[in-house]
Amino acid sequence: MTVFSHPEFDNHEHLSFVCDPETGLKAIVAVHNTSRGPALGGCRMFPYASDEEALRDVLRLSKGMTYKSALANLDLGGGKSVIIGDPRKQKSEALLEAMGKHLEGLGGQYIAAEDSGTSVADLKIMGRHTKHVAGIVERIAFNGQPSNGDPSPTTAYGTFVGLKAAVKHKLGREDLTGLKVSIQGVGNVGYRLALHLKEAGAELWVYDIHHANMQRAVDELGAHAASAENILFLPVDVVAPCAMGAVLNDDSIPRLKATIIAGAANNLLQRPDHDQALKDHSILYAPDFAINAGGIIDVFYERNGASPEKVRAHVEGIGQTLTEIFKRSDRSGMPTGAVANTLAEERFQKHSSVAQAPREQIVGAG
Ligand code: NAD
């Protein structure tokens, strides 16, 4: 297994490999870039088939966080961690505490949040040994509702704001009444996105492999039930993938009937050049890491106790960022994913030459 010459290495600033035989903890922490501030990103627990698979995942995800936070204009860098193991069988308090001790030893250059396989409760257990965990503070969220720290409602609202920006740009309309939207995956984010769209008057189609989730959207929101086979290919205005990545690929893109893709799932493009394929099919793609930044914005503000209004205003900036991406794409002829990457690079590379304040101070200044 190579490290420095790994194809995904991309000049990561830090990598640490943790092994604690007593608790069974095997983990990798990756910090891609801290030019804008400390690296904040999820701690994922997954039964990776090999060390190589875990390394590849953490490097890719960590770099993605640098781009996501920079694009969202947050004073945060990009990082991620993975714990190798089955969260249903191998997770224990002792293992999580050992992870917390390792995070503490990193001195705050990386801050962990929830991710797939870890929960608010798990992060709180790590937090017994470190203050470098986030997404765990009970407070009033951007919408005036109590929150346990779970950023999903904010991610869903940001996705709704971004979807509206895409509709305005592509279809020239601000009123969503009668807009046809299909949503793949109605879990934490997808269901709440459906709720916002329903309130705005949209007509919804939903599919979820977990039947009860789909039925809830049908019963409570009047959505039409779709199927695994047709959810992406219905004759709707917008497709919102909110389940899994790589759904935009050589097979799916030519079959899409919608003219807008605006969903929260990470890594929607199977290959980077699939944004060009979408453009070639006259489909407006809202880059995933731009539209789903509500969660990282929420977690950032949790750390400095900002008001719900401030969080909401920042999340609504997702609409402006996307509009800027769409307009640059129109002007330059570049696909939207490439434009979003360039914009993010401008934002984090600009900071590289600036002397850094102590990390906690940077978080507090946001
Ligand atoms: P979740 O697990 O709560 O919901 C995902 C839903 O998708 C579940 O209901 C699941 O049953 C369903 N699903 C899984 N595979 C499916 C398939 N093949 N077809 C249809 N449905 C399927 O997760 P979430 O928090 O809602 O996140 C959804 C997506 O958004 C993920 O890709 C996640 O990485 C991304 N995301 C989430 C956040 C956040 O704050 N939660 C932030 C940024 C990005």
Side-chain angles (χ1 to χ4, degrees):
M1 186 172 78
T2 58
V3 177
F4 293 112
S5 54
H6 193 286
E8 305 283 350
F9 185 70
D10 192 56
N11 293 323
H12 265 70
E13 291 177 11
H14 167 97
L15 265 182
S16 51
F17 295 82
V18 197
C19 178
D20 183 44
E22 230 170 83
T23 61
L25 174 67
K26 274 207 283 180
I28 312 175
V29 179
V31 173
H32 176 248
N33 184 295
T34 56
S35 62
R36 292 186 68 98
L40 201 156
C43 172
R44 178 170 288 192
M45 183 162 186
F46 187 78
Y48 293 99
S50 66
D51 298 349
E52 164 62 27
E53 198 187 297
L55 178 66
R56 187 178 175 279
D57 207 30
V58 79
L59 290 172
R60 218 172 33 88
L61 293 166
S62 155
K63 178 179 170 183
M65 290 309 297
T66 301
Y67 280 70
K68 187 183 294 199
S69 286
L71 200 54
N73 270 321
L74 295 171
D75 290 337
L76 290 174
K80 203 89 179 182
S81 56
V82 294
I83 298 176
I84 301 168
D86 185 337
R88 282 164 305 176
K89 296 184 192 144
Q90 286 159 279
K91 202 194 290 175
S92 67
E93 285 202 18
L95 178 144
L96 294 167
E97 289 198 21
M99 185 68 181
K101 286 177 193 163
H102 180 70
L103 297 181
E104 182 61 16
L106 297 178
Q109 64 178 306
Y110 168 66
I111 301 160
E114 305 88 346
D115 205 282
S116 109
T118 60
S119 63
V120 173
D122 297 335
L123 269 292
K124 283 186 174 168
I125 295 171
M126 292 181 202
R128 291 174 189 163
H129 298 279
T130 180
K131 61 178 184 300
H132 307 305
V133 286
I136 55 168
V137 177
E138 285 174 24
R139 64 196 221 281
I140 299 300
F142 77 96
N143 53 6
Q145 302 292 316
S147 159
N148 67 352
D150 173 10
S152 307
T154 321
T155 303
Y157 182 60
T159 307
F160 175 63
V161 167
L163 187 151
K164 281 199 296 184
V167 168
K168 185 169 177 204
H169 189 81
K170 182 76 181 175
L171 306 176
R173 56 184 281 192
E174 293 188 52
D175 181 359
L176 303 192
T177 309
L179 185 84
K180 294 180 165 58
V181 184
S182 66
I183 306 177
Q184 183 185 46
V186 270
N188 284 322
V189 176
Y191 181 79
R192 289 183 175 94
L193 172 65
L195 199 57
H196 288 299
L197 287 164
K198 168 78 181 168
E199 281 166 8
E203 186 175 2
L204 304 173
W205 282 259
V206 294
Y207 172 71
D208 197 298
I209 42 164
H210 186 38
H211 185 76
N213 281 2
M214 179 162 80
Q215 201 54 47
R216 179 174 62 150
V218 170
D219 294 343
E220 295 178 12
L221 306 178
H224 307 284
S227 69
E229 291 71 33
N230 71 8
I231 186 68
L232 295 176
F233 310 113
L234 294 166
V236 292
D237 300 300
V238 183
V239 170
C242 294
M244 54 187 185
V247 295
L248 302 173
N249 51 47
D250 289 341
D251 172 57
S252 66
I253 291 170
R255 297 162 62 209
L256 293 167
K257 296 194 183 69
T259 54
I260 297 169
I261 303 288
N266 281 313
N267 302 319
L268 282 174
L269 305 175
Q270 190 175 59
R271 285 195 319 267
D273 64 314
H274 280 127
D275 64 346
Q276 181 65 54
L278 288 163
K279 191 169 179 357
D280 294 344
H281 283 81
S282 299
I283 296 167
L284 182 67
Y285 165 59
D288 47 22
F289 66 101
I291 197 170
N292 72 15
I296 189 77
I297 294 171
D298 189 67
V299 173
F300 171 77
Y301 281 112
E302 170 194 292
R303 294 184 59 80
N304 61 24
S307 67
E309 293 73 26
K310 192 164 183 185
V311 180
R312 189 180 186 98
H314 201 135
V315 172
E316 288 177 352
I318 289 174
Q320 284 130 37
T321 299
L322 279 169
T323 301
E324 186 180 344
I325 291 167
F326 299 150
K327 286 185 176 164
R328 271 205 201 192
S329 168
D330 290 346
R331 280 198 304 270
S332 66
M334 274 164 71
T336 53
V339 170
N341 281 336
T342 306
L343 194 55
E345 282 159 9
E346 287 168 10
R347 290 180 181 179
F348 73 81
Q349 284 166 359
K350 199 166 61 185
H351 278 63
S352 300
S353 53
V354 178
Q356 287 183 34
R359 301 187 192 289
E360 291 304 319
Q361 198 179 321
I362 297 171
V363 172

